[in-house]
Amino acid sequence: MDAAALVTPPYVAGPLRLVPFRGLMLSPARVGNPTTGRAFARPYKDVSARLLRWQARGYVRQDAVPALYLHEYTSAGMTVRGLVGALDVSRRATRAEDRAVLPHEGIHPAQADDLADRMAEMELNPAPILLVHRGTDQLRSVLAEVIRGEPQHTFTDRGEQQHRIWAIRDEATLAAIAAELADSRALIADGHHRYAAYLRLQRRQATSTDEPAATDFGLAMLVDQGTTPLFLGPIHRTLHGTSLDDLRDATQSVGLGYAEHSQSEAVAALSATRLAATDGERWAVIDLDASVREAAVETLHRRIVPALPHGPSSVAYHHSVDDALGAARPDSVAVLMPAPSVDLVLEIAAADRLLPEKATSFQPKPSLGVLIRSLRDEPSGTC
């Protein structure tokens, strides 16, 4: 298999289950600290011992009793709240209607294998993958009741994120959450390769007994996009080895609209059905087919790019407009992209389509070290 090839990660079958675990938490001074990443660096087999030394020094603590955690964090004025638990990855979906977790990007198998090896050596899930869904009214009511109580942890980390964490252990509350999640479908917002690594670990260590293994689960945070949504931002492109004339010819050859405008007009036209492009001197607007339910990034990569008469020799990705414009040249066209809506991404994933690489940017992400899961813990009926 081509090491650069993208493949679809397997689908986890429902019911969607997030179960309690004994959370490991770094001290507030260590969370969001640029040096914290060193604790999870090579040699990976020493990471567990490293954290035990930190625990002895008071830099990390582990809960004695398993819990689901409601984690709220605020970054740059945006507040996100999600349930953090051990995601059950022990069952594979064989039918579309059975899928509980929906990826929307492909993964590199070698990268997923490497991450699985790291987690196995560390005996940890170092950070939760981010999932989004639309919660039920009943689930929102249950979690609103949790928030009315005092959080077990409140702190501001070294990266200036503010955190509040509630540990949920009440059996009735856990049962109510489980019932409301069972029929949910969650979209992977961040962590496609870690998700695939969870599935590899689960397959490697699957047992023939009915007793769950630690690797039947992987750490995840589930965010209700209807209450405290993650921001879905665009990722812009630079098509190296391509001119604006090449882009015009390709666009018109597939039946899409192309017209040159001033910079201000082109930027103002940017929308879900319009792209703006520039070579640093000239500007153009590309009109997409509004009648087709596909993301703008799909149209660009699956219809326009294959029709280019020259290039691209490579594609660069930019999270800011300034970075994209800084790379524009007569032989390198910057294409400013709109962000797809979360509902459209969900629709695409449910239709078993994958978006092109680096199609979405969900923000903000929680700082590293707030909640970690040890693979040394033996799961129980509720993990």
Side-chain angles (χ1 to χ4, degrees), residues 9-268:
Y11 292 103
V12 165
L16 183 68
R17 294 182 66 221
L18 273 182
V19 298
F21 71 105
R22 295 175 58 224
L24 277 164
M25 304 178 195
L26 300 187
S27 65
R30 296 279 169 175
V31 176
N33 190 325
T35 64
T36 294
R38 297 174 190 168
F40 305 100
R42 288 186 175 91
Y44 299 118
K45 61 183 175 58
D46 293 342
V47 170
S48 288
R50 229 172 277 159
L51 289 184
L52 286 174
R53 291 196 296 271
W54 279 24
Q55 193 167 354
R57 297 171 186 168
Y59 300 156
V60 62
R61 61 178 296 276
Q62 183 170 27
D63 279 348
V65 181
L68 276 185
Y69 300 90
L70 187 60
H71 177 199
E72 177 186 279
Y73 59 97
T74 300
S75 179
M78 288 188 63
T79 296
V80 176
R81 191 182 308 120
L83 278 168
V84 182
L87 173 70
D88 187 348
V89 296
S90 63
R91 298 176 306 280
R92 302 292 184 272
T94 57
R95 302 179 304 167
E97 57 267 32
D98 294 334
R99 296 176 298 179
V101 177
L102 300 176
H104 68 274
E105 291 184 2
I107 57 104
H108 296 280
Q111 187 175 338
D113 284 331
D114 181 57
L115 285 171
D117 291 342
R118 292 187 200 181
M119 289 184 201
E121 288 188 73
M122 290 189 290
E123 298 183 286
L124 292 172
N125 297 146
I129 63 172
L130 281 179
L131 307 175
V132 296
H133 77 138
R134 300 281 181 188
T136 64
D137 290 342
Q138 181 59 32
L139 178 60
R140 292 170 183 172
S141 177
V142 169
L143 297 183
E145 187 62 33
V146 170
I147 294 168
R148 284 197 260 289
E150 285 295 316
Q152 277 70 38
H153 306 279
T154 303
F155 64 94
T156 299
D157 69 30
R158 287 288 294 275
E160 299 301 319
Q161 280 192 358
Q162 295 91 49
H163 302 270
R164 296 199 299 168
I165 301 172
W166 294 261
I168 306 171
R169 298 188 176 93
D170 176 71
E171 290 187 8
T173 304
L174 291 172
I177 291 171
E180 294 304 312
L181 290 183
D183 294 330
S184 287
R185 275 188 169 181
L187 176 76
I188 301 176
D190 182 68
H192 282 79
H193 283 89
R194 282 176 288 147
Y195 163 79
Y198 293 164
L199 301 181
R200 279 160 165 71
L201 282 176
Q202 193 277 329
R203 278 289 165 89
R204 288 178 191 176
Q205 302 187 28
T207 65
S208 58
T209 70
D210 292 332
E211 291 298 316
T215 50
D216 284 339
F217 303 87
L219 188 59
M221 170 182 256
L222 180 66
V223 174
D224 185 346
Q225 198 66 13
T227 54
T228 57
L230 290 160
F231 170 72
L232 180 50
I235 301 180
H236 309 293
R237 269 81 172 137
T238 301
L239 308 179
H240 295 296
T242 296
S243 69
L244 205 58
D245 290 339
D246 291 333
L247 188 62
R248 177 200 61 209
D249 293 346
T251 299
Q252 292 176 342
S253 74
V254 296
L256 300 176
Y258 176 98
E260 297 200 8
H261 293 271
S262 68
Q263 177 176 347
S264 59
E265 290 171 335
V267 172

